[in-house]
Amino acid sequence: MSNVTKPDNRIWNPACECMPRPELEALQLARLKQVVNIAWERVPYYRKKMEAAGVAPADIRKLADVAKLPFTTKDDLRACFPYKAFAVPLERVVRIHASSGTTGQATVVGYTKGDLATWSELMARLQTAAGVTKHDIVQIAFGYGFFTGGLGHHYGVETVGAAVLPVSSGKSERQIQIMKDYGSTVLICTPSYAMHLAELIQKLGVRSELRLRLGLFGGEAWTEAMRRALETGLGVFATDNYGLSEVMGPGVSCECVEQKGMHIAEDHFLPELIAPATGAPVTDPAAGGELVLTTLTKEAIPVVRYRTRDLCCFLPGECRCGRTGRRMSKVSARSDDMLIIRG
């Protein structure tokens, strides 16, 4: 690791994040049954898919039964544009985000007040795991708007009790001036933009004038070599986090100060690994596969078995931090970037 200070291990919600596995799995099963029932009763798209697959809510008796349910894909969500996937009336929806739509019809996600409270809780967990405390001044250089990164992190910072600087993206020299003027101690942005800022800071020769100590970088894949470069270039302890707008936004999983895999918030998301070519559950999670997620608590848009197309593995063993949620590796590639030749 680079010569940066490792933050203390803090846990925002020990009761949930450190729940014994048998208790966690019982909670997951209860929530899975509930979300499948809601999807069946309130979202015609899901009922139609389940009926076509010959499965009904009563067939979900144990966690492994999730494999009986049909997958949800990005194309499925596009076909529900804009509000056909909603399980609540629009008057209960208080926030709407959407994908950029650059590769096709945008996917729309809605949030109830309950969803926003859950999201804020998950972001507080993520930021606390990375070392953020109420004493920090947090500069968010993610875009605000339909993109979930900016506002997702914003509400998390406020939940933790730190001061948030909602700078948004771009205007790099201004970003650095704000770091100097306001004494930013935490930077949140994409790793590639952080690399750009590190190079500009070096060029301007202002590194010694900055108070940065933490960097929370997500929104795109990055390597351990980039982590070392960012820790050296910015003088921050750098952590990764993972999420996607279709199932919540950021907050699905996050690294702790051990920097050894991202803890999945398993009380809110049921993770699976499947073989991309066949869709069958993988027999060795440590060997990797495509990540599939089911939302367990989302009210506005429940998402059942969403194929993320992201390839990763689940890391074996327990983490020294004390959290019990399964850890996923960094995303290594995307299954839709692969060519399957003769299996």
Side-chain angles (χ1 to χ4, degrees), residues 2-4 198 207 226-236:
S2 310
N3 186 27
V4 294
R207 166 81 184 276
M226 281 182 74
R227 190 203 302 273
R228 291 191 292 273
L230 287 167
E231 291 191 330
T232 301
L234 291 172
V236 297

Side-chain angles (χ1 to χ4, degrees), residues 119 122-123 126 241-245 247-254 262-266 268-269 271 291 293 295 308 326 328:
W119 195 12
L122 291 173
M123 296 308 293
L126 180 161
N241 59 80
Y242 173 83
L244 57 169
S245 60
V247 300
M248 179 64 80
V252 173
S253 67
C254 62
M262 292 180 281
H263 296 271
I264 302 171
E266 283 198 85
H268 293 278
F269 306 99
L291 181 65
L293 294 167
T295 63
T308 67
R326 266 183 291 193
M328 59 181 274

Side-chain angles (χ1 to χ4, degrees), residues 125-173:
R125 292 185 194 181
L126 180 161
Q127 289 155 0
T128 301
V132 178
T133 75
K134 63 183 179 182
H135 303 292
D136 279 301
I137 299 170
V138 182
Q139 183 163 332
I140 297 179
F142 269 134
Y144 281 63
F146 269 178
F147 173 62
T148 53
L151 281 167
H153 275 283
H154 183 114
Y155 278 76
V157 173
E158 291 184 342
T159 302
V160 169
V164 61
L165 298 170
V167 183
S168 196
S169 55
K171 299 183 180 175
S172 301
E173 293 205 13

